[in-house]
Amino acid sequence: MTASDDTVRDLPPSAKLVLKVLEYNGGLTQKQIVEKSRLSQRTVRDALDRLTDADIVEKDIYIPD
């Protein structure tokens, strides 16, 4: 989960927060990211989409989430 400074700099604050939560905690479900970041589920989903599009994180399907 290494990202270039320019790529991260262009991300919105919510995506940067989600990235930091993942850096500190490792792989988490969306529900766990919502709990740790205190962002809404919709905001976390959008942030993860942006991080995935930028090839910073990979999403896996976790059925219970």
Side-chain angles (χ1 to χ4, degrees):
M1 203 168 15
T2 304
S4 73
D5 290 339
D6 291 335
T7 304
V8 173
R9 189 176 301 127
D10 294 337
L11 293 171
S14 58
K16 291 177 188 176
L17 176 58
V18 169
L19 180 59
K20 284 297 176 190
V21 168
L22 290 170
E23 285 177 350
Y24 290 135
N25 297 285
L28 299 171
T29 65
Q30 283 189 22
K31 185 176 181 180
Q32 291 170 324
I33 296 170
V34 167
E35 291 170 0
K36 292 189 180 294
S37 67
R38 297 182 183 235
L39 296 172
S40 71
Q41 187 169 357
R42 182 177 180 180
T43 301
V44 168
R45 188 171 44 247
D46 179 61
L48 288 172
D49 287 342
R50 289 174 185 265
L51 292 167
T52 303
D53 290 345
D55 291 326
I56 297 172
V57 300
E58 291 181 13
K59 287 201 292 188
D60 249 345
I61 296 175
Y62 179 66
I63 300 300
D65 196 26

